[in-house]
Amino acid sequence: MSSLAALRVRLRSLFRRSTVERELDEELRDHLERETERLVAGGMDPGDAREAARRRFGNVEYLKEESRDARGVRVLENALRDIGAGLRLTRKQPGFAAVVVLSLALGLGATTAVFNVTYNVLFATLAVPHPERLTSLRRTHGGDTNDRFSWNELRALRETPGIGVLSAVRTASQIPLGVGPVREYVNMHFVDGAFFSMLGLRPLHGRFISPDDDTARATVVVLAEWMAARLFPGDSSVLGRTVNIRGVPFSVIGVAPRAYRGLEYPGQFTAAIPLSTVPLLAGVGDRPDDRGLPLALVPRSDAPAYKIAGRLAVDRRAAAAALGVVFARCCAVGPAAGDRLQLIDIRRGIPGGKDDFRDQVGMVLEILLAGMGLVLVVVCGNIAGLLLVRGASRQREIAVRLSLGASRGRILRQLVWESLPLAVVGGLLGLFVALWATAGLIHSIPEWGAYLDALRFRAAPPVFLFTGSVTLLCGFAFALYPALRATRGNLAPTLRLDARVSRDRGQGAAARGIVVAQVALTVVLVTAASLLAVTLRNLARVDGGFATEHVLLLSLDARGTSYEVQGVAPLGAPILERLRALPGVRTAALASMMPLFGGSIGSVELDVPGIAEQAGRRPSVRFDAVAPGYFATLGIPLQSGRDFTTADAARSEPVVIVSAAFARHYFGGRETLGRSFAATLRGDSLTAVRIVGIAADAKYENLRSEPEALIYVPLTQTSENWSSLQIGLRVAGEATDAAPAVARAVEAAAPSLRIRRVSDVRTLLATATAMERLAARLAGFASGMALALSMMGLYGVVAYGVARRTRELGIRVALGAHAPAIVWLVVRDLVLCVGVGAAIGLPLAFATGGAIRSQLFGVTAHDPRVAGLAVLLLVVVALLAGALPARRAVRIDPRIALSAE
Amino acid sequence: MKAEKVDLLQGTLDLIVLKLLQAGPANGWDLTQAIQATSGGALSVNYGTLYPALHRLEARGWVVAKWGTTDHNRRARFYSLTPGGRRRLAAEQETWERFSRALGLILRPA
């Protein structure tokens, strides 16, 4: 520090000058000049006077810092300046910047994508104001729950003072709705006049159903935006237009906003009409059917037919207490005695519907989110490691500035701010990655296809908030530690050129610590990924008990068609006849439900000799009503006995074929064939049936399920007329190729019958493991990334060691050290990092494997092959990371190494 | 060097500056001279610390700064009290007097 001028030059080079800055300088300079003048006037030598004035003044740089501090806006000013410096630095080190930005973008992108889906699946609330006030009512009796209430009960509950608004809703699926030739089969809401105002929704166009509409039995309909667009394509004014609902004209009075998706989760709001119009829809074919169709309309006022949703004016507990009292008095009497009322929190949609996949996927999503979080930690660790090395190279610059009086906090902030642009760029790129990755995520789960709209990457505030805060967190996390290290400790050694080693040793230890953590987390991620991959492989190898190739499945539905009254069953014979005549079709069969494909699911109660009732209930099993040829078509082997034949007709002896699991469970391995038991196959009364065959077990639900005790009955011997039945075809070629011809044949046999779904067994199998495949892929991505980053970290440790010890290595080579000794010297750190990392990581990996146990299939966390694979991969990565620097070390030329510095 | 110099108590510099500005606008150097003169040279003020103090007071809105010219035709920044600064001065002065009275009571019996 020779002079004030020199000092100022340095300061200028460090800080960009602004007006305020210039003023500060001017003010301070003015003071010093005047003080000097005063001292000179007092008789002092001008040089001494300047010196004295400065001494009296104190540390200029420090005071400037103080003044900047005092100005308040300083933090922002400095931040902008540091960010600018960071950007300039980035230009000088494009490789460093690329690694930081890309790894952050991938890590943040994947994390955001998983978070986005997780948020939309698990946490998104209904798109109505104050969804937390909404409730739906449920009655429980012992372990049974039911969400239907009678009109009388609803009326009584509504009278409860002060609790808010209760509204009645009925829903029915497969209601035909059309305009001209367009015909859709939709989910219909039947709502009372209070429903929409209870929700607090605003219509997109027109108005919602009002109490007047309900009392006047007005034939008006509210359409969802997407439904309006589908019915009236390209038509902007749908209000006042007429749509046909089950043959009755309704006029469109309003359009609901896209964000409203109904109360159920996952929902798809389509259309709503007044509850009072239900009787108008009642057609000839109506039966009292609880499945919603045909509309068992105009239920008696004491029949439980209504769901109750409400908006509470008081808190849920108070409302539950008040309603509970009323319910006990009005409703929990007579046969319903002992029923209790529950108020369900439906802010995230009414839970527990048949399509509610949250329980199923919630844990997987949480695991994936945790995995992505670990990747982000590894990413940050990697960047911190790189910054540490960069910090080491800037050690002297920092030390000079500290010794000039810049405060540690100021430099710390500078180092952190400098890193921020990289974090922000990484975060922004990450959003794009997330956009793309989210699409990939949701398309990888076929069942989510129906809810694409809800799951799609949307700029929902929570998602942005998440990405933004994670980005900033990462930015600070990876920058702060190196910055703390860089500004710590004694300055003197750093300022001297020759004493770099002692500090370097500290930096090296810190870098090694980070790498050890990376390795440990990588072990965890790789282990989890291999567990999930093995699970997927095991599931793919599961024998479902049915043929996987050349089987095409169709679902036929008579609801809402001219066949509604007679059902599909009478159409079976003519349809099968046409199908069997098609070229390439080997066999064809009908069944009420099919493996993995589902269908009409029913169960019967049993009375099997020697099997006692449990808790006063007869045991119950599911049944599949099948036509002759079903087993051959689906490839389910008959272990003994015979298939059904056309001789097993409605009036002949009731017969069944049972699954092997059924035989084991109810007959305990004794002779089963030919024995009889009783089942409620026709109504509630028991019918004696004789077992004529035993079928091998087939997995109907999913591939993980245990063999199910199931009975097969001839379609002809059931009392139902089946509004929906499934067709299975064994074809010669590719199953899906046959679909168009099959659809034409069905149409020829039954012109207006609906084909609701078409699939083939191979697709179903892929669908059945979609979640597992997604989990395995994402975990694979996560561990791949962790491995790559660990490799980079390990390479850094070794390369840094070689660079630092070039002189020493040169001396050793000059003294005749052999190559293996040199290599060992440089890879020792590497071996140490990998060893310690694995030692920490393996127990963590076992714990992780235990935590995700429920998602695994046929493999456990303690499988030595899995841990072995993780260790093997690490060794490979370590070898790759160490090879290049080790080669460099061995090739050190002592003459060059010793003459350096 | 005089032995009798007293270090400034924490937080008193603001009070001194506000008090001195009560007499009218002044620039930084004037203020240092005034401190020196009015305290009879007894206070040891690191002149440099005055400027951060001024900027701090300015940031809090107790003083405002304007560029002007001194008697010797130099450009300088002149600081003057704002109404808020006056109120602050009154409050600080009162606090200080109460404090020094109390301290006096404690110290007297000894």
Side-chain angles (χ1 to χ4, degrees):
Chain A
M1 285 202 285
S2 55
S3 70
L4 190 63
L7 177 74
R8 204 174 296 129
V9 168
R10 269 198 191 153
L11 292 176
R12 277 204 192 100
S13 65
L14 282 174
F15 301 109
R16 212 178 46 184
R17 297 174 62 93
S18 64
T19 315
V20 183
E21 203 62 17
R22 201 163 48 235
E23 283 179 359
L24 178 63
D25 271 355
E26 191 174 334
E27 198 176 11
L28 299 185
R29 191 179 55 227
D30 177 59
H31 178 104
L32 287 174
E33 280 170 9
R34 284 164 75 174
E35 182 71 8
T36 311
E37 278 169 27
R38 190 179 68 88
L39 293 172
V40 171
M44 207 184 259
D45 168 80
D48 293 348
R50 203 175 299 129
E51 192 64 21
R54 266 203 32 230
R55 244 198 333 271
R56 192 72 214 273
F57 195 78
N59 185 325
V60 175
E61 173 66 356
Y62 176 76
L63 289 168
K64 283 186 160 187
E65 285 292 321
E66 286 273 289
S67 290
R68 290 188 196 109
D69 263 336
R71 276 207 305 271
V73 290
R74 189 184 89 89
V75 173
L76 187 68
E77 261 173 41
N78 282 343
L80 290 175
R81 189 158 38 212
D82 295 340
I83 288 171
L87 286 174
R88 283 193 296 279
L89 228 95
T90 302
R91 269 210 302 276
K92 272 192 254 165
Q93 300 170 316
F96 168 80
V99 168
V100 171
V101 167
L102 279 182
S103 59
L104 259 184
L106 282 178
L108 279 169
T111 312
T112 305
V114 175
F115 175 80
N116 183 48
V117 172
T118 309
Y119 175 80
N120 280 326
V121 169
L122 298 183
F123 302 113
T125 52
L126 296 176
V128 301
H130 293 289
E132 74 283 356
R133 298 235 171 118
L134 295 183
T135 191
S136 101
L137 268 48
R138 189 160 75 177
R139 64 207 305 164
T140 64
H141 186 102
D144 293 341
T145 60
N146 188 345
D147 59 359
R148 306 288 175 97
F149 294 81
S150 73
W151 190 254
N152 288 343
E153 289 170 327
L154 170 67
R155 218 169 37 201
L157 291 169
R158 257 184 182 163
E159 309 276 282
T160 316
I163 50 118
V165 189
L166 295 183
S167 172
V169 195
R170 295 181 63 190
T171 54
S173 56
Q174 310 300 330
I175 298 280
L177 176 152
V179 175
V182 187
R183 202 154 198 234
E184 305 273 349
Y185 293 85
V186 305
N187 246 312
M188 183 65 72
H189 281 60
F190 308 101
V191 303
D192 67 8
F195 183 74
F196 282 105
S197 62
M198 178 274 292
L199 286 180
L201 272 186
R202 249 169 222 263
L204 191 66
H205 304 297
R207 61 179 184 86
F208 284 143
I209 292 164
S210 70
D212 290 345
D213 294 323
D214 199 30
T215 42
R217 199 173 276 192
T219 49
V220 294
V221 59
V222 169
L223 294 175
E225 193 192 6
W226 66 271
M227 195 68 222
R230 193 187 292 190
L231 290 173
F232 305 100
D235 200 335
S236 58
S237 63
V238 300
L239 300 180
R241 304 287 297 267
T242 302
V243 300
N244 184 311
I245 300 172
R246 260 177 87 83
V248 179
F250 277 71
S251 93
V252 179
I253 53 161
V255 176
R258 183 179 290 264
Y260 176 64
R261 309 178 53 79
L263 293 179
E264 307 267 340
Y265 183 93
Q268 179 75 285
F269 175 73
T270 312
I273 56 176
L275 196 54
S276 59
T277 61
V278 170
L280 304 177
L281 303 183
V284 236
D286 296 325
R287 303 166 298 150
D289 178 340
D290 201 36
R291 290 214 191 108
L293 246 194
L295 304 158
L297 315 208
V298 222
R300 297 203 327 263
S301 55
D302 59 348
Y306 303 95
K307 295 184 186 183
I308 302 179
R311 179 173 285 273
L312 299 176
V314 292
D315 89 28
R316 195 178 310 279
R317 199 173 302 165
L323 283 167
V325 171
V326 175
F327 183 77
R329 205 175 325 125
C330 78
C331 316
V333 291
D339 277 14
R340 298 175 65 84
L341 189 70
Q342 275 186 347
L343 268 61
I344 310 168
D345 182 347
I346 60 165
R347 74 183 73 179
R348 300 198 169 86
I350 297 173
K354 74 175 164 59
D355 293 329
D356 191 343
F357 49 75
R358 285 179 290 194
D359 284 349
Q360 214 180 312
V361 304
M363 177 153 184
V364 178
L365 287 175
E366 278 158 21
I367 291 169
L368 292 179
L369 200 54
M372 294 303 137
L374 286 186
V375 172
L376 263 189
V377 172
V378 175
V379 166
C380 289
N382 192 55
I383 299 172
L386 292 172
L387 281 173
L388 261 183
V389 176
R390 194 170 79 159
S393 66
R394 290 174 67 183
Q395 204 75 82
R396 282 176 59 80
E397 172 204 335
I398 291 166
V400 166
R401 293 187 44 201
L402 282 172
S403 64
L404 287 179
S407 70
R408 182 175 178 211
R410 175 69 190 85
I411 294 198
L412 213 57
R413 265 172 283 171
Q414 181 200 339
L415 290 177
V416 171
W417 281 119
E418 274 181 6
S419 315
L420 209 63
L422 291 179
V424 170
V425 173
L428 286 177
L429 260 180
L431 275 179
F432 284 102
V433 174
L435 206 67
W436 171 79
T438 305
L441 276 183
I442 54 182
H443 286 293
S444 63
I445 304 293
E447 291 99 319
W448 290 356
Y451 315 108
L452 278 188
D453 210 33
L455 295 169
R456 186 161 301 152
F457 189 89
R458 271 176 310 175
V463 175
F464 261 130
L465 204 66
F466 173 83
T467 311
S469 45
V470 171
T471 304
L472 290 183
L473 197 71
C474 288
F476 286 112
F478 69 62
L480 195 59
Y481 177 67
L484 279 173
R485 280 208 63 95
T487 56
R488 189 169 69 185
N490 189 5
L491 298 174
T494 315
L495 287 174
R496 288 204 308 271
L497 268 177
D498 56 336
R500 267 176 39 203
V501 181
S502 64
R503 262 187 98 72
D504 280 357
R505 197 153 283 159
Q507 298 292 7
R512 281 197 298 273
I514 290 177
V515 171
V516 165
Q518 278 184 341
V519 169
L521 291 181
T522 303
V523 171
V524 173
L525 285 168
V526 169
T527 313
S530 16
L531 287 172
L532 292 171
V534 172
T535 295
L536 183 63
R537 192 203 57 182
N538 289 349
L539 283 173
R541 286 182 182 174
V542 163
D543 180 7
F546 42 77
T548 57
E549 296 290 332
H550 311 300
V551 180
L552 184 71
L553 304 173
L554 287 86
S555 175
L556 303 179
D557 204 317
R559 287 177 283 183
T561 72
S562 56
Y563 305 104
E564 184 163 322
V565 185
Q566 63 176 96
V568 186
L571 301 168
I575 291 175
L576 286 181
E577 195 178 322
R578 277 179 189 268
L579 289 178
R580 285 176 185 140
L582 285 178
V585 171
R586 291 188 172 151
T587 57
L590 274 171
S592 57
M593 65 171 181
M594 292 199 180
L596 303 184
F597 189 64
S600 309
I601 314 246
S603 60
V604 290
E605 294 181 2
L606 303 177
D607 184 11
V608 182
I611 300 287
E613 294 188 354
Q614 288 194 335
R617 285 180 193 214
R618 291 195 284 254
S620 97
V621 296
R622 298 202 302 171
F623 73 95
D624 194 1
V626 304
Y630 172 76
F631 297 99
T633 304
L634 271 281
I636 301 171
L638 281 175
Q639 291 179 342
S640 59
R642 62 168 176 91
D643 189 3
F644 299 130
T645 66
T646 44
D648 297 311
R651 289 180 211 291
S652 54
E653 181 200 13
V655 290
V656 293
I657 293 171
V658 299
S659 73
F662 184 97
R664 280 195 301 278
H665 187 260
Y666 289 99
F667 296 98
R670 286 167 287 139
E671 182 57 39
T672 309
L673 208 60
R675 302 193 45 168
S676 292
F677 61 92
T680 54
L681 278 167
R682 289 175 189 168
D684 286 337
S685 58
L686 288 165
T687 310
V689 292
R690 189 169 60 88
I691 300 171
V692 296
I694 297 169
D697 289 316
K699 305 206 172 194
Y700 269 69
E701 274 309 292
N702 59 59
L703 294 173
R704 291 178 189 237
S705 54
E706 292 295 314
E708 181 184 359
L710 185 80
I711 64 174
Y712 298 90
V713 300
L715 255 177
T716 45
Q717 294 185 348
T718 59
S719 58
E720 292 236 16
N721 68 349
W722 299 104
S723 57
S724 167
L725 281 176
Q726 331 308 321
I727 287 182
L729 297 129
R730 180 70 76 97
V731 296
E734 189 65 34
T736 43
D737 292 347
V742 167
R744 279 194 301 274
V746 171
E747 201 187 342
S752 72
L753 191 64
R754 282 179 69 209
I755 299 176
R756 269 177 69 198
R757 286 188 299 147
V758 180
S759 191
D760 66 297
V761 173
R762 199 197 299 154
T763 309
L764 289 175
L765 283 171
T767 307
T769 52
M771 201 69 210
E772 285 84 359
R773 190 168 301 115
L774 171 69
R777 267 192 209 153
L778 270 180
F781 161 80
S783 50
M785 203 158 152
L787 278 170
L789 292 173
S790 292
M791 183 157 85
M792 205 184 281
L794 289 168
Y795 169 82
V797 164
V798 185
Y800 184 63
V802 171
R804 185 168 58 82
R805 298 163 75 180
T806 306
R807 261 172 85 88
E808 178 201 336
L809 292 170
I811 294 171
R812 285 176 188 268
V813 172
L815 292 179
H818 290 295
I822 297 290
V823 168
W824 170 243
L825 213 58
V826 297
V827 301
R828 207 170 45 192
D829 277 352
L830 178 93
V831 173
L832 198 74
C833 285
V834 173
V836 175
I840 298 171
L842 280 174
L844 285 178
F846 288 144
T848 308
I852 63 172
R853 197 172 41 222
S854 65
Q855 303 300 320
L856 303 180
F857 184 78
V859 63
T860 66
H862 290 275
D863 194 322
R865 284 169 299 175
V866 169
L869 177 72
V871 171
L872 184 73
L873 277 174
L874 267 186
V875 169
V876 170
V877 159
L879 283 177
L880 287 174
L884 210 63
R887 215 169 81 117
R888 205 180 305 144
V890 173
R891 296 201 170 172
I892 282 176
D893 183 336
R895 280 167 304 178
I896 298 173
L898 291 173
S899 59
E901 282 197 6
Chain B
M1 207 183 249
K2 279 184 259 177
E4 290 297 320
K5 286 225 169 180
V6 189
D7 277 329
L8 266 185
L9 279 175
Q10 190 80 39
T12 46
L13 184 58
D14 286 7
L15 175 59
I16 294 172
V17 170
L18 289 173
K19 183 72 191 169
L20 290 174
L21 286 177
Q22 199 180 20
N27 65 43
W29 195 74
D30 295 339
L31 287 172
T32 59
Q33 299 309 307
I35 293 170
Q36 197 74 321
T38 43
S39 74
L43 277 179
S44 154
V45 180
N46 209 338
Y47 290 158
T49 58
L50 184 73
Y51 289 91
L54 280 168
H55 295 138
R56 196 163 50 237
L57 295 173
E58 188 186 358
R60 291 185 190 169
W62 294 330
V63 305
V64 286
K66 252 201 302 242
W67 285 99
T69 14
T70 64
D71 309 338
H72 305 289
N73 253 349
R74 279 172 171 282
R75 222 168 90 83
R77 236 160 114 78
F78 282 87
Y79 294 86
S80 52
L81 274 189
T82 63
R86 278 176 217 290
R87 281 195 298 278
R88 177 73 189 177
L89 171 63
E92 288 248 316
Q93 194 161 350
E94 151 122 38
T95 310
W96 174 256
E97 276 161 11
R98 259 190 296 143
F99 172 72
S100 81
R101 259 201 310 278
L103 198 65
L105 286 174
I106 290 168
L107 295 176
R108 197 172 306 146

